[in-house]
Amino acid sequence: MEFLTPDKTHDEARQGEALVLEPGEKNLGRKLYIESYGCAMNFSDSEIVASILAEKGFETTSDFNNADVVFINTCSIRENAETRVRNRLKEFAYAKGKNPGMVVGVLGCMAERLKSKFLEEEKLVDVVVGPDAYRDLPNLIDKVDGGQKAVNVLLSREETYADINPVRLNSNGINAFVSIMRGCDNMCSFCVVPFTRGRERSRDPHSIVAECRDLFNKGYREVTLLGQNVDSYKWSATQSADGSEQLVDEPIVNFANLLEMVALIDPDLRVRFSTSHPKDITDEVLHTIAKYDNICNYIHLPVQSGNSRVLELMNRTYDREWYMGRVDAIRRIIPDCAISTDIITGFCTETEEEHNETLSMMDYVQYDYAYMFMYSERPGTLAAKRYADDIPEPIKAVRLNQVVAKQRESSHYRLQQHVGRVDRVLIEGFSKKSDQDYCGRNDKNAMVVFPVQEGYKPGQYANVLVEKCTSATLIGKII
Ligand code: SAH
Ligand code: SF4
Ligand code: F3S
């Protein structure tokens, strides 16, 4: 299921499925439809929203045409992400035309970026809610029921929704996202996230472990710990939401400590995480990954560019050599570790030679996967203020195509290394093409397809001999 790929900006949407929830009061039986765009954090937030509204009696539905409340949880990362949302809103406008009582809300990063301007630009929208204001949703819906429009885009320095038990949407009952922190303090010059998500804050580790343990007890076998920069996760006693000192067992919990705490829940619970920042990933984290079999050997380590001058303009705070040093450390400490990346082509003033350094970085690392984008200028970011978006679209596109072509070779090379090996695969369900086959992922996040065998079912692990591979999938049999 594509939904479970790490961190990335899915431009595809997923929608909530019908499920029966605890009764609430006046909203009892009202139907909520929620559609999510963007990164895994947004998908995870939609589960928090569903939970907050379930408390008030809402049920989720997978058909927006018969929904009382339609929410779209939006992404601002690139212009085309916003265009997609606006097009989708047109479809909701048509549905609302037939059902005027329908409440339409815009949530997430676009809501935060555009604030009440959204109400002027898109007439059908009734509610605009930023990522830190979801607890206010029941009040805001009340306000709309009373005939008003409603906006809450306040960002918070404390909100982590730590106490909210998310309603799992579109769940296969095996993999789940768990948010460990919110916001970002990094200010990469191209990036809108610090503006849409606010300051970085970490969630109480005890609530994270409790959520993961609860998931395990319910049969889940894989958690992905989410944050824009998980390596700067840090919890200290002074960080409680109400500002009071809290007694915690560990005075400071860093990301390596947190990984260990989650890994110790059960050896059969796989632990993934995303995203790692090259400037912050420590050897301590790498040693922790190496120490625990159930922490997957897979690191998403976005490089963005292979050239030091461009990296400086991007305000990434590392250079080419530093990044290569981190890759070397991964190879040394975790010899069999998959690495994936994000790459932006055609950033302001990038020359052909500098672009070629991105290609040579790809040769150096031989990434298992990559998410590749043309630079898209975002209003309000440092790059938009300081530098001209001066690389013409066709050149951005040529560079992107070169990067994509190289990645295709590299992914294939990495997949081929599995052929002839036995991989431990967590079975996720039937393969897309046939109910005679199961699919699941190995530790390095590669999809493996193999014939169904008696005695094995989704949620269990199987040892699979990999016999061959296609461009994106390993094929084998249980041994
Ligand atoms: N926190 C993560 C990234 C989150 S955004 C990190 O630091 O790596 C996901 C990816 O979108 C980024 O890694 C970057 O490659 C891409 N991206 C962000 N802003 C962009 C922009 N303005 N244009 C093109 N791609 C962008
Ligand atoms: Fe954006 Fe940089 Fe923060 Fe990632 S680390 S979310 S790219 S500002
Ligand atoms: Fe995620 Fe997009 Fe916001 S990538 S943090 S949903 S801008």
Side-chain angles (χ1 to χ4, degrees):
M1 195 161 85
E2 208 182 321
F3 178 52
L4 296 157
T5 53
D7 190 329
K8 282 314 93 217
T9 51
H10 303 258
D11 290 333
E12 301 284 308
R14 296 282 181 277
Q15 60 227 11
E17 267 162 19
L19 71 158
V20 182
L21 304 163
E22 286 292 303
E25 313 110 51
K26 84 175 193 41
N27 290 309
L28 192 65
R30 282 179 94 187
K31 288 195 172 60
L32 163 71
Y33 172 87
I34 183 161
E35 193 170 283
S36 311
Y37 292 76
C39 63
M41 304 279 307
N42 245 17
F43 284 78
S44 167
D45 279 2
S46 292
E47 300 187 332
I48 288 167
V49 168
S51 171
I52 289 169
L53 292 182
E55 287 273 304
K56 299 291 173 191
F58 282 88
E59 298 171 12
T60 53
T61 169
S62 56
D63 178 10
F64 69 81
N65 286 300
N66 68 21
D68 301 293
V69 173
V70 173
F71 282 162
I72 182 161
N73 195 353
T74 60
C75 175
S76 285
I77 200 83
R78 284 168 292 275
E79 194 179 350
N80 60 13
E82 293 201 352
T83 309
R84 207 158 265 143
V85 165
R86 293 201 191 264
N87 289 338
R88 190 62 171 150
L89 281 172
K90 292 196 184 96
E91 291 169 47
F92 294 159
Y94 183 73
K96 188 168 171 157
K98 288 191 288 182
N99 172 12
M102 182 188 273
V103 176
V104 176
V106 177
L107 277 49
C109 291
M110 248 177 117
E112 192 61 51
R113 194 176 83 71
L114 292 160
K115 305 189 168 54
S116 51
K117 259 198 286 181
F118 225 113
L119 295 178
E120 295 149 32
E121 289 176 20
E122 304 282 348
K123 295 288 179 232
L124 87 150
V125 174
D126 304 297
V127 201
V128 177
V129 193
D132 286 345
Y134 296 145
R135 285 184 204 266
D136 198 23
L137 276 168
N139 297 328
L140 298 169
I141 293 173
D142 265 0
K143 219 169 145 186
V144 175
D145 289 340
Q148 290 171 279
K149 299 260 177 183
V151 180
N152 187 343
V153 289
L154 286 176
L155 287 172
S156 158
R157 281 176 174 257
E158 288 93 23
E159 181 62 272
T160 59
Y161 301 110
D163 56 312
I164 291 179
N165 196 10
V167 167
R168 305 287 160 185
L169 300 170
N170 293 292
S171 174
N172 61 2
I174 297 165
N175 328 67
F177 290 128
V178 176
S179 176
I180 64 165
M181 58 205 293
R182 300 182 71 80
C184 183
D185 281 351
N186 279 316
M187 287 290 176
C188 301
S189 65
F190 51 79
C191 185
V192 77
V193 172
F195 304 95
T196 61
R197 294 257 160 187
R199 299 304 298 268
E200 182 182 293
R201 65 221 98 116
S202 297
R203 174 179 169 191
D204 182 336
H206 300 90
S207 77
I208 297 170
V209 171
E211 184 176 331
C212 294
R213 181 172 290 122
D214 180 53
L215 284 164
F216 184 78
N217 291 339
K218 287 179 174 144
Y220 286 78
R221 288 295 173 265
E222 186 176 285
V223 290
T224 303
L225 308 180
L226 296 179
Q228 294 297 352
N229 177 6
V230 291
D231 302 284
S232 67
Y233 176 88
K234 189 169 153 213
W235 172 265
S236 58
T238 52
Q239 230 175 317
S240 64
D242 60 4
S244 63
E245 279 274 318
Q246 271 200 338
L247 280 180
V248 290
D249 306 336
E250 308 81 8
I252 288 186
V253 179
N254 67 16
F255 184 56
N257 307 143
L258 179 72
L259 266 182
E260 181 158 49
M261 287 162 76
V262 177
L264 286 170
I265 291 173
D266 196 289
D268 272 347
L269 180 67
R270 267 189 178 172
V271 187
R272 298 188 186 278
F273 54 90
S274 188
T275 298
S276 298
H277 195 299
K279 83 172 155 67
D280 292 319
I281 189 165
T282 59
D283 286 0
E284 190 191 2
V285 165
L286 301 181
H287 285 295
T288 307
I289 299 169
K291 183 172 167 195
Y292 292 95
D293 277 348
N294 58 330
I295 305 180
C296 292
N297 287 1
Y298 172 71
I299 299 176
H300 184 59
L301 194 70
V303 67
Q304 313 299 357
S305 163
N307 171 263
S308 294
R309 189 191 71 90
V310 174
L311 286 169
E312 183 161 358
L313 287 186
M314 288 177 163
N315 200 26
R316 288 289 286 182
T317 68
Y318 55 84
D319 61 11
R320 180 179 172 91
E321 285 64 41
W322 173 272
Y323 186 90
M324 286 175 157
R326 291 289 75 205
V327 171
D328 296 345
I330 295 170
R331 302 276 184 239
R332 189 173 62 243
I333 297 168
I334 320 167
D336 188 31
C337 187
I339 305 179
S340 62
T341 198
D342 293 347
I343 289 171
I344 298 177
T345 65
F347 186 66
C348 315
T349 73
E350 182 190 65
T351 66
E352 207 55 38
E353 293 71 42
E354 289 166 340
H355 162 67
N356 286 338
E357 282 203 73
T358 298
L359 295 174
S360 69
M361 179 67 91
M362 297 177 77
D363 288 332
Y364 184 78
V365 185
Q366 294 269 22
Y367 292 108
D368 291 73
Y369 317 91
Y371 302 87
M372 299 153 284
F373 316 100
M374 288 193 276
Y375 173 58
S376 163
E377 186 179 79
R378 308 309 297 130
T381 55
L382 292 182
K385 286 183 195 150
R386 286 186 196 159
Y387 316 120
D389 179 12
D390 58 355
I391 307 300
E393 286 298 290
I395 295 184
K396 286 181 184 171
V398 168
R399 291 180 188 171
L400 179 66
N401 287 340
Q402 290 173 355
V403 164
V404 168
K406 188 169 281 291
Q407 185 52 42
R408 200 167 289 138
E409 284 169 25
S410 175
S411 293
H412 192 62
Y413 163 76
R414 289 293 178 198
L415 277 183
Q416 268 180 332
Q417 290 186 318
H418 289 266
V419 175
R421 296 191 350 186
V422 176
D423 280 350
R424 189 162 189 254
V425 176
L426 174 58
I427 307 173
E428 289 179 9
F430 293 114
S431 87
K432 266 190 209 146
K433 288 192 189 137
S434 153
D435 60 8
Q436 308 292 306
D437 290 329
Y438 277 146
C439 68
R441 282 164 206 278
N442 67 12
D443 171 74
K444 293 161 91 183
N445 212 32
M447 185 56 84
V448 188
V449 171
F450 48 94
V452 170
Q453 193 169 304
E454 217 177 297
Y456 289 87
K457 53 180 204 284
Q460 290 182 338
Y461 292 93
N463 289 320
V464 177
L465 171 67
V466 178
E467 294 170 313
K468 58 183 179 185
C469 71
T470 67
S471 62
T473 313
L474 299 171
I475 295 164
K477 61 168 190 251
I478 295 178
I479 55 159

